[in-house]
Amino acid sequence: MPAKEYHRIFRSGWLRAAVLGANDGIISTASLITGIAAANCDYYSIISAGLSGLIAGSLSMAVGEYVSVKSQSDVESADLLMEQHSLKKNYDDELEELAQIYINRGLSSRLAKEVAMELTNHNALDAHARDELGISLHNRARPLQAAFASAISFAIGAMVPLSVSLLAPISLFIPVIIISSVVSLGVLGAISAKTGGAYIWPAVKRVTILGAISMLFVSSTGSLFSILGN
């Protein structure tokens, strides 16, 4: 017997939210800390800003993900309700529409009509949701799951630069924060690629380069404000 395929599409919803949250937590918190440090603020202000960024960012990610994904869920529910109503009022037209979808995919007219009839008799709404609307159990929007994954992963990601800032020597504060954050981004990229079954190196390269550019830009901005302030 051939080995059973192990698909990862079931992870796409929470994995996207978790990777986005952790990535944002690392980059935004590290950028915030280095930007304030470059502006020559005192150590207490730097740590306070980092902790405030962690809390505010986690809440913002949770609310933003929930609102965004809930909007998608509302659209899906509205479309399913509309399709359910149409199936009751226009059964023959909906059956023909489903058969035409299968014809467009390469089935003969006779076979397409047979398949459409069998699936309609089994579960008409499920058949139309999947093949007409592209809605399936694999990709249904889950607002609470996305919000929770984003908030927790943001907090975990933000704890990396915040923890390092507590241990980093003042003389090397900014370079240590940036380097440790870039390394963390690389680890995050590798883990997300491995979890999703993608190639590791492109994911690592993409997230580390973009993250490093973001943090260097914010750090430079902080230095500019320091110069202007003096």
Side-chain angles (χ1 to χ4, degrees), residues 61-228:
M61 287 294 293
V63 173
E65 276 292 322
Y66 180 83
V67 171
S68 174
V69 179
K70 188 65 171 67
S71 298
Q72 179 186 342
S73 177
D74 290 343
V75 171
E76 291 177 354
S77 297
D79 277 350
L80 288 174
L81 187 62
M82 184 188 303
E83 195 66 28
Q84 190 174 36
H85 178 76
S86 183
L87 283 168
K88 293 179 180 179
K89 298 294 184 180
N90 308 299
Y91 179 86
D92 292 336
D93 292 339
E94 289 293 335
L95 182 62
E96 182 62 31
E97 183 181 31
L98 192 62
Q100 188 60 48
I101 291 173
Y102 300 138
I103 292 173
N104 294 338
R105 291 181 181 178
L107 296 184
S108 65
S109 178
R110 180 184 61 81
L111 181 57
K113 291 179 180 180
E114 290 180 1
V115 172
M117 180 62 74
E118 289 287 339
L119 292 178
T120 298
N121 291 336
H122 174 69
N123 190 327
L125 183 60
D126 178 70
H128 281 270
R130 181 181 60 252
D131 295 322
E132 181 183 346
L133 304 176
I135 300 175
S136 70
L137 293 177
H138 303 321
N139 57 14
R140 281 301 305 270
R142 294 179 174 86
L144 290 176
Q145 183 190 64
F148 182 78
S150 294
I152 296 300
S153 58
F154 183 97
I156 293 174
M159 286 176 63
V160 173
L162 188 58
S163 300
V164 173
S165 68
L166 297 174
L167 304 173
I170 298 299
S171 58
L172 299 173
F173 191 85
I174 293 177
V176 169
I177 296 295
I178 292 178
I179 292 172
S180 61
S181 297
V182 169
V183 172
S184 300
L185 288 171
V187 173
L188 173 65
I191 292 174
S192 62
K194 182 68 175 178
T195 305
Y199 291 108
I200 293 177
W201 174 239
V204 171
K205 182 170 63 174
R206 178 172 60 245
V207 71
T208 52
I209 292 176
L210 294 176
I213 292 173
S214 299
M215 287 181 282
L216 288 173
F217 177 77
V218 176
S219 178
S220 301
T221 303
S223 298
L224 177 61
F225 278 107
S226 177
I227 295 172
L228 294 175

